[in-house]
Amino acid sequence: MRKIHNRRSFSNGVSLGYLAWMAALAVLLIAGGCYYAVLKNEQIVLKRDIEKIHLKTASCRLAAEQYRAKAAARVNRWAIRDRLSQDDSLLRDITSSQIEIAERQPRRTVAGLHPTTPPCP
């Protein structure tokens, strides 16, 4: 038997251009995957920053509400009366007949009452 060598049966079926395209595609896929990972990491970092800001905002809101509650408790007229009576203060309640209602004056009239202030234009 004689061996017949056929070039086609022994030749490589992959051309150089095909390998170049496959390499370019691999580089493109790797670069895309790396870019995706970087963007996903930035997204996670931003999400954490947003959560920190939300927590800080909630904390500030709570502190403001607590401040308002303390301020309201301090200016409550009944609480002030109780504190004054506990401290044996000289301040006492007044009757409604002792209350004088001041009439509202125009600004120019009020400003004109003080001789040291220059007149309004």
Side-chain angles (χ1 to χ4, degrees), residues 71-109:
R74 288 188 179 191
V75 298
N76 184 347
R77 69 195 287 195
W78 303 110
I80 291 172
R81 286 182 182 184
D82 290 341
R83 278 195 300 255
L84 289 174
S85 66
Q86 288 172 0
D87 295 340
D88 294 327
S89 174
L90 296 175
L91 297 174
R92 298 289 172 230
D93 288 340
I94 59 172
T95 62
S96 59
S97 64
Q98 295 172 321
I99 297 173
E100 181 181 329
I101 299 174
E103 293 180 19
R104 189 172 188 92
Q105 298 290 328
R107 288 186 183 185
R108 290 180 185 237
T109 307

Side-chain angles (χ1 to χ4, degrees), residues 18-104:
Y18 181 75
L19 287 177
W21 277 108
M22 292 301 282
L25 182 64
V27 167
L28 183 66
L29 287 174
I30 290 170
C34 290
Y35 189 64
Y36 174 79
V38 167
L39 289 179
K40 194 66 172 176
N41 188 31
E42 287 180 14
Q43 183 183 17
I44 291 170
V45 168
L46 286 175
K47 187 175 183 180
R48 287 180 185 159
D49 289 345
I50 290 171
E51 288 175 3
K52 286 179 187 176
I53 290 170
H54 282 300
L55 287 175
K56 214 178 248 191
T57 305
S59 173
C60 288
R61 282 188 186 139
L62 180 62
E65 287 296 323
Q66 289 174 346
Y67 175 77
R68 285 189 200 109
K70 286 180 184 178
R74 288 188 179 191
V75 298
N76 184 347
R77 69 195 287 195
W78 303 110
I80 291 172
R81 286 182 182 184
D82 290 341
R83 278 195 300 255
L84 289 174
S85 66
Q86 288 172 0
D87 295 340
D88 294 327
S89 174
L90 296 175
L91 297 174
R92 298 289 172 230
D93 288 340
I94 59 172
T95 62
S96 59
S97 64
Q98 295 172 321
I99 297 173
E100 181 181 329
I101 299 174
E103 293 180 19
R104 189 172 188 92

